Amino acid sequence: MPMKVNLRQLNSVWEFANPVKFLKWTERVLPYLWIVAALSLLVGLIWGFFFTPDDYRQGSTVKIIYLHVPAALMAINCWLMMFVASAVWFIRRHHVSALVARAAAPVGIFMTLIALVTGALWGQPMWGTWWAWEPRLTSFLVLFLFYLGYVALWEAIENPDVAADLTSMLCLVGSIFALLSRYAVLFWSQGLHQGATLSLDKEENISDVFFFPLLVCIAGFMFLFVALVLYRTGTEIRARRIQSLMAREGRGHNA
């Protein structure tokens, strides 16, 4: 019986590979996601920037954490989500999965850019420089370049299936740098970048006064990320339909 339930749940997930069902589901869910994302970001950012104290060492500069950390987390997790979608494309050849990965890439670029800019703004007063070629920053910059390459590769290839194959291969390779960006602090302890902001270790984890508004900001970025990816995936599906209709009409005129 448990096996049957699990198989039913798995089949229900694969139903979203149908573009029509996917679009109907996203149209119902998206309004709620936009609202929750907006409220979470509004509450988290106002709470963090206006109702938390200055840090005893970093002063008010520490409040960049409410933009930098959520954006960095989403930038890395976005690529890992693209990795899963690309793997599904290779295994099941579901076009929606390839379009999800394509739709997520510009969102990942946006999140990575926010993390890089806020990291520079945070690093300058702390390190005395806007940029340092230390492990975590370097791997994060490489991840940003992989994002740009991924989008450029999609645009450069006309055949959608070939483009999906090649970009999926690029995504699998780029996942190495996504993992390095996440765990570089653990691999190379001599880097300038601080340790993990969120940790199970109470001594390493940030103080509760900063922790709780940060969690709200992370939730806001997460809901915003999901909403943007679903919205852009719907746009990609509609664009693919228009291209198919135009191709059919073109063949009909030629005939």
Side-chain angles (χ1 to χ4, degrees), residues 44 47 52 66 206-218:
W47 184 3
T52 57
Y66 301 115
I206 61 173
S207 172
D208 288 349
V209 70
F210 301 112
F211 177 70
F212 293 114
L214 178 59
L215 284 184
V216 178
C217 289
I218 291 174

Side-chain angles (χ1 to χ4, degrees), residues 96-196:
V96 171
S97 63
L99 294 179
V100 167
R102 181 178 185 178
V107 183
I109 291 175
F110 176 67
M111 295 294 180
T112 309
L113 192 58
I114 292 176
L116 287 171
V117 171
T118 55
L121 293 174
W122 195 358
Q124 203 283 330
M126 295 299 103
W127 304 338
T129 180
W130 298 100
W131 180 264
W133 293 101
E134 65 101 49
R136 190 164 195 177
L137 296 181
T138 304
S139 61
F140 212 81
L141 178 60
V142 174
L143 177 63
F144 178 68
L145 296 177
F146 264 95
Y147 269 121
L148 295 178
Y150 181 92
V151 172
L153 190 57
W154 262 110
E155 297 297 330
I157 301 173
E158 294 185 4
N159 187 304
D161 286 352
V162 174
D165 286 336
L166 294 178
T167 53
S168 295
M169 292 174 62
L170 179 64
C171 188
L172 299 182
V173 175
S175 299
I176 297 172
F177 290 94
L179 291 173
L180 284 177
S181 299
R182 176 64 182 87
Y183 296 107
V185 172
L186 301 179
F187 297 152
W188 296 283
S189 58
Q190 72 274 17
L192 286 175
H193 199 286
Q194 68 184 48

Side-chain angles (χ1 to χ4, degrees), residues 53-60 62 210:
D54 292 347
D55 183 66
Y56 74 99
R57 283 191 299 182
Q58 301 186 37
S60 60
V62 73
F210 301 112

